[in-house]
C-alpha cells in the first residue's frame, strides 16, 4: 500500500516516535490525525509538521486519553469527520515506568495496562469493522523490545507490550484475506521524551542491560516502520539485535537469562561499590 491520500491516525502522535510517524506520513502525502492528551503538545506537533511540510493536508489534532474508551471513540469520530474513515491506524500512545517489582505500586501496573493495552484495543475495535467492510486498511501496533523478552525492571511495562503481541498475532489470523493488514513494531531504545522519563526510575541493572542495544532516533524507527507497513510486513524489528531476538528468543532464552543475570549482578555490584 502507499500512504498517498490515506487517512493515517496516530495515537501518541504529539511526541517521539508517534510525532515522527506523523511527520513522515504527511511527507508521503497522507492526511494525518494526531491523538494525545495534552492540547498544547498536540498544537506544537501540528505546527512542526506543517512547518516541515507546508503542502501537507491540514493535520487534525484531537485531545483524548486512550485509556478511556469514550474519549478515544469521540476522538476517532472527530478526526473522521474531517479526513474520512481511518485507512491506517497507528497506536503509539504508551507509558513506561520502570522500577523494582516490590517498589512499584499496583496502580502503576494497572495504568500501564490501561494505556498500553486497552488504549490500543479500543481504537482497534472501533476501526477494524469499517476497514473489513471496505476491504482495505492497516493497523499498526507499537510494542517494544520489552514485548519480545521480559527485562529486569520492566515488570509493569513488559506484560503490557507482550499483550500487544498476543493481540496482533491473533488478529492477524482473523484478518488474513480481508484486505486489512496487521503490523506490530518492536522498537529498541529510542531517543524520545519517554526514554528520558524512564531513565529517572530505571534500576541500574536495567540501564546495564539495555545499554548494549544502542540508541535509535525516532526518525529512524519511524522510517523503518512506515517502509514495513507499506510492504505489508507483520512484524517489524528495527536493528539486528531485535531481529535476532524475535527469531531466536525461545531457543536462546536459557543463554539469554544467564547473560542477563550476569550483567545485572555486575551492575548491582558496581552501584554498591561506586565503580562502573
Ligand atoms: N522510546 C523508547 O525507547 C521506546 C522503545 C520501545 C517502544 N516504545 C514505545 O513507542 C511508543 C511511543 O513512545 P515514545 O518514546 O515516542 O514516547 P513519548 O515521546 O513519551 O510519546 C508518547 C505519546 O503518547 C501520548 N500518550 C501517553 N499517554 C497517553 C494516553 N493515556 N492517552 C493518549 N495519549 C497518550 C503522549 O502525549 P500526552 O502525554 O500528551 O498524552 C505522547 O504523544 C510507546 O508505546 C512506547 O512504549 C518506545
Amino acid at each position: 500500500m502507499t500512504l498517498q491520500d490515506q487517512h493515517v491516525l496516530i495515537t501518541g502522535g504529539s511526541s517521539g516516535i508517534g510525532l515522527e510517524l506523523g511527520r513522515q506520513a504527511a511527507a508521503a502525502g497522507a492526511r494525518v490525525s494526531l491523538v494525545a492528551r495534552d492540547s498544547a503538545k498536540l498544537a506544537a506537533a501540528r505546527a512542526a509538521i506543517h512547518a516541515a511540510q507546508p503542502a501537507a493536508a491540514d493535520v487534525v489534532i484531537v485531545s483524548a486519553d486512550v485509556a478511556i474508551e469514550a474519549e478515544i471513540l469521540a476522538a476517532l469520530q472527530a478526526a473522521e469527520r474531517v479526513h474520512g474513515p481511518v485507512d491506517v491506524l497507528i497506536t503509539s500512545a504508551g507509558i513506561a515506568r520502570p522500577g523494582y517489582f516490590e517498589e512499584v505500586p499496583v496502580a502503576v501496573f494497572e495504568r500501564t495496562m490501561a494505556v498500553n493495552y486497552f488504549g490500543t484495543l479500543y481504537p482497534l475495535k472501533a476501526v477494524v469493522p469499517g476497514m473489513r467492510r471496505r476491504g482495505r486498511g492497516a493497523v499498526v501496533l507499537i510494542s517494544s523490545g520489552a514485548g519480545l523478552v521480559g527485562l529486569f525492571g520492566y515488570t509493569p511495562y513488559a506484560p503490557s507490550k507482550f499483550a500487544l503481541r498476543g493481540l496482533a498475532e491473533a488478529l492477524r489470523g482473523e484478518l488474513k484475506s480481508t484486505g486489512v493488514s496487521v503490523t506490530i513494531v518492536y522498537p529498541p531504545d529510542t531517543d524520545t521524551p519517554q526514554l528520558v522519563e524512564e531513565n529517572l526510575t530505571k534500576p541500574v541493572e536495567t540501564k546495564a542491560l539495555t545499554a548494549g542495544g544502542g540508541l535509535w532516533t525516532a526518525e529512524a524507527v519511524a522510517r523503518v516502520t512506515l517502509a514495513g507497513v507499506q510492504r505489508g510486513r507483520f512484524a517489524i524489528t528495527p536493528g539486528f539485535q531485535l531481529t535476532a531476538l524475535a527469531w531466536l528468543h525461545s531457543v536462546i532464552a536459557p543463554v539469554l537469562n544467564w547473560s542477563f543475570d550476569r550483567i545485572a549482578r555486575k551492575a548491582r555490584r558496581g552501584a554498591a561499590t561506586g565503580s562502573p
Side-chain angles (χ1 to χ4, degrees):
M1 76 176 304
T2 146
L3 296 175
Q4 178 75 42
D5 276 335
Q6 302 294 296
H7 180 188
V8 178
L9 185 140
I10 305 163
T11 70
S14 66
S15 173
I17 296 170
L19 171 56
E20 197 48 48
L21 286 162
R23 204 191 313 263
Q24 293 182 25
R31 289 170 280 124
V32 172
S33 300
L34 309 176
V35 178
R37 290 165 305 170
D38 184 326
S39 312
K41 261 175 23 187
L42 279 166
R46 173 168 60 184
I49 293 177
H50 282 308
Q53 299 297 325
D58 194 26
V59 173
V60 170
I61 52 172
V62 196
S63 171
D65 183 338
V66 293
I68 301 173
E69 188 179 12
E71 284 196 17
I72 180 64
L73 294 189
L76 284 167
Q77 283 167 5
E80 290 190 329
R81 274 197 294 275
V82 181
H83 280 329
V86 173
D87 298 298
V88 181
L89 169 71
I90 306 180
T91 57
S92 189
I95 53 169
R97 158 74 162 80
Y100 296 108
F101 177 68
E102 290 97 321
E103 291 171 11
V104 181
V106 166
V108 171
F109 287 78
E110 290 170 344
R111 179 68 184 161
T112 306
M113 198 55 99
V115 174
N116 295 2
Y117 178 68
F118 286 101
T120 296
L121 179 77
Y122 299 146
L124 277 177
K125 283 284 281 177
V127 302
V128 164
M131 289 181 175
R132 190 197 264 272
R133 265 196 313 277
R134 293 188 295 279
R136 53 190 292 275
V139 294
V140 184
L141 288 67
I142 308 293
S143 176
S144 165
L148 290 170
V149 60
L151 268 191
F152 193 118
Y154 277 127
T155 53
Y157 183 66
S160 72
K161 294 297 188 177
F162 266 68
L164 294 183
R165 181 181 184 175
L167 177 64
E169 289 184 0
L171 190 60
R172 185 204 63 80
E174 286 197 30
L175 294 182
K176 201 169 165 55
S177 321
T178 64
V180 183
S181 64
V182 178
T183 297
I184 180 154
V185 190
Y186 301 101
D189 267 0
T190 308
D191 188 11
T192 68
Q194 176 175 301
L195 194 67
V196 173
E197 176 104 15
E198 270 183 53
N199 283 335
L200 300 176
T201 61
K202 226 178 227 176
V204 285
E205 295 90 338
T206 314
K207 284 188 179 153
L209 282 162
T210 50
L215 186 63
W216 279 57
T217 62
E219 189 277 334
V221 170
R223 188 162 21 83
V224 172
T225 298
L226 292 182
V229 170
Q230 288 176 91
R231 271 188 250 117
R233 290 262 307 278
F234 171 65
I236 297 177
T237 47
F240 169 75
Q241 278 175 322
L242 286 184
T243 303
L245 194 60
W247 279 89
L248 300 171
H249 171 251
S250 304
V251 181
I252 61 168
V255 182
L256 221 48
N257 286 340
W258 173 82
S259 150
F260 284 174
D261 293 347
R262 215 168 134 258
I263 295 169
R265 231 179 5 253
K266 249 180 93 183
R268 200 174 310 125
R269 261 203 311 266
T273 60
S275 62

